[in-house]
Amino acid sequence: MNEAFARLFEPGRVGAMETKNRLVLASMDDNMADRDGFATDQKIAWFRRKAQGGVGWIQTGYVYVTRRGRGCTYFQMGIYDDAHVPGLRRLTDAVHEYDVRIGIQIAHAGRQTTHHYLNGLQPEAPSPVPEPLLGETPTELSKVPIAEIHEEFVRAAVRGREAGFDLVEIHGAHGYLHHSFVSPLSNLRTDEYGGSLEGRARFSVESVRALRAALGSDFTLGYRISCDEFVEGGFTIDDVCKVVPMLEDAGIDYINVSGGSYESVKMMIAPAGIGPGQLEQYAARVKQAARVPVLSSGRYNTPQLAERVLESGSADYVVVGRALIADPDFPAKARAGRAEEIRPCVACEQGCIDRWFSALDITCVGNPEAGREGLEGWETIDRRAPTGRHVLVVGGGPAGLEAARTAALLGNTVSLWEGRDVLGGQLLLAARPPRQSEWGELLSWLVRQVEQLGVEVTLGRTADPGAIVGAGADAVIVATGARPAPPRWVEGWDSEKVVDAFAADPSSRAQAVAEAMCRYDR
Ligand SMILES: Cc1cc2nc3c(=O)[nH]c(=O)nc-3n(C[C@H](O)[C@H](O)[C@H](O)COP(=O)(O)O)c2cc1C
């Protein structure tokens, strides 16, 4: 084991559950369920691949406990019916094969959804306060439906246990129902579920109590909380430090600290330029207030950073989301002392959360395997027998570099021709705007990979049919890039004063950036 990450790979215990290390795959809804919330083969393959990579504990994304509690996408998982259990059992079995624990995150959206996605059902919440981004005005929950929702959570949790999950987590964060009860912005009630912090926390406390009573003392139960709303007038870290002991008294085994809601999404899912570790100080505050283990999330994108968080005592577990999409082998590589081989997540969000908000299954700009794990061939890609052919890749941008890497991994002899005198293609341009320089880390990683795999790179070499035939390759991959789509919907797009980013970026400047970033040795 690599001593540098001794804390990260220390076994841990949370309630009745033991874990082999301190790395948790963050809950990430992936839009890979079917329209009725059933787990699909694609979803199972997605989680199996994460388990193969060595993470100790996997959390599912949002799983709705009732159809009325679905979030704002059709393809979330549901657990509102016993019929969901067999599919979920296949999922937990797949993960357990790798000695990895898996928890189910059960949730109700409250007002943070739309009629449309709820199949015409009316959203419900503590008070009829419109959701600021989605615009829905929910109906106010009276006491009978509140009791029914507690029942729905209990039934969902029991089904989760039947399906083989090692723990149940209540999604109390990110603006959904539990969060909206705690928030003074969305809870204007004057009964016992509103008013003081204690009143606003009552729904969550009752929810934890009901689940603890149903699950017994020997089953792990957790709660995810936003450490601060990061919206003026919302609850703050000071409030959260008072709510956590209430949840502990009600029976939670751990607290999973995230942040924000849709209104402050940048603190929840930090884009490039915010973070890494933007929520660590908040987890550290909760840690001081809590008796149970604390989990912390928020762009922990390297094992070095994760190790430091554990070492400094800010949290007991580090929750990693997008970096494990970019490279599910992050844990295995760190453990083997090969951290520099981890493919970096550049927080571009294009493949993950942007696609999620468009109701598409998630993937990754940097990792073409992500979301396609179930397709034939992907699972065994690094282990196939060498094919021993000569592959010519034309184009040294991200697609060409990735194709060359994969072809070389498969045991081929690979040549790569790039027309410019620098590798990188559009990545060079992508790294230019303010706060976007992390694209350069992906480029550096790709360049290092092709170097290490012995790809023969020729710069300043353009391809034409004669040259390609002359190269005598067994296979040719053309990866010469795309042309930008003109933004015809913008008035004046074709005026002389408008230039696209390519035209505004003289290649000499791009080359200087590239050289500084990846120092490719010609
Ligand atoms: C595509 C996507 C889906 C997410 N879905 C959920 C979810 O269902 N439940 C949840 O608690 N958090 C969700 N999150 C937030 C993550 O759990 C995590 O807190 C966040 O991405 C920050 O961690 P990271 O910077 O390591 O990605 C989601 C994030 C992403 C990118």
Side-chain angles (χ1 to χ4, degrees), residues 52-53 125 330 353 368 417 459:
Q52 279 173 344
F330 171 126
I353 199 66
W417 296 352
L459 299 175

Side-chain angles (χ1 to χ4, degrees), residues 235-289:
F235 63 73
T236 65
I237 180 68
D238 293 332
D239 299 321
V240 167
C241 287
K242 292 178 191 142
V243 170
V244 168
M246 298 182 208
L247 300 174
E248 289 176 327
D249 291 343
I252 57 166
D253 291 310
Y254 72 88
I255 186 84
N256 183 353
V257 182
S258 182
S261 65
Y262 284 18
E263 260 191 290
S264 49
V265 73
K266 287 186 175 149
M267 292 304 284
M268 182 204 309
I269 307 173
I274 296 187
Q278 81 280 4
L279 297 176
E280 183 188 350
Q281 57 185 306
Y282 297 90
R285 283 282 312 277
V286 172
K287 179 91 181 110
Q288 282 165 9

Side-chain angles (χ1 to χ4, degrees), residues 142-180:
S142 61
K143 286 181 194 161
V144 173
I146 285 180
E148 282 168 8
I149 290 174
H150 288 326
E151 275 304 303
E152 282 160 345
F153 269 86
V154 164
R155 282 195 291 272
V158 171
R159 285 187 194 110
R161 188 176 57 184
E162 272 168 34
F165 286 97
D166 301 293
L167 71 109
V168 168
E169 177 179 280
I170 298 172
H171 195 346
H174 302 167
Y176 297 116
L177 185 62
H178 290 71
H179 174 129
S180 71

Side-chain angles (χ1 to χ4, degrees), residues 62 68-69 108-113 118 123-125 138 175-177 180:
Y62 187 115
R68 201 185 284 275
H108 186 306
R111 66 174 186 162
Q112 207 169 250
T113 184
L118 289 177
E124 51 191 13
Y176 297 116
L177 185 62
S180 71

Side-chain angles (χ1 to χ4, degrees), residues 421-434:
D421 50 6
V422 62
L423 289 172
Q426 294 191 47
L427 282 180
L428 299 171
L429 192 58
R432 298 285 306 276

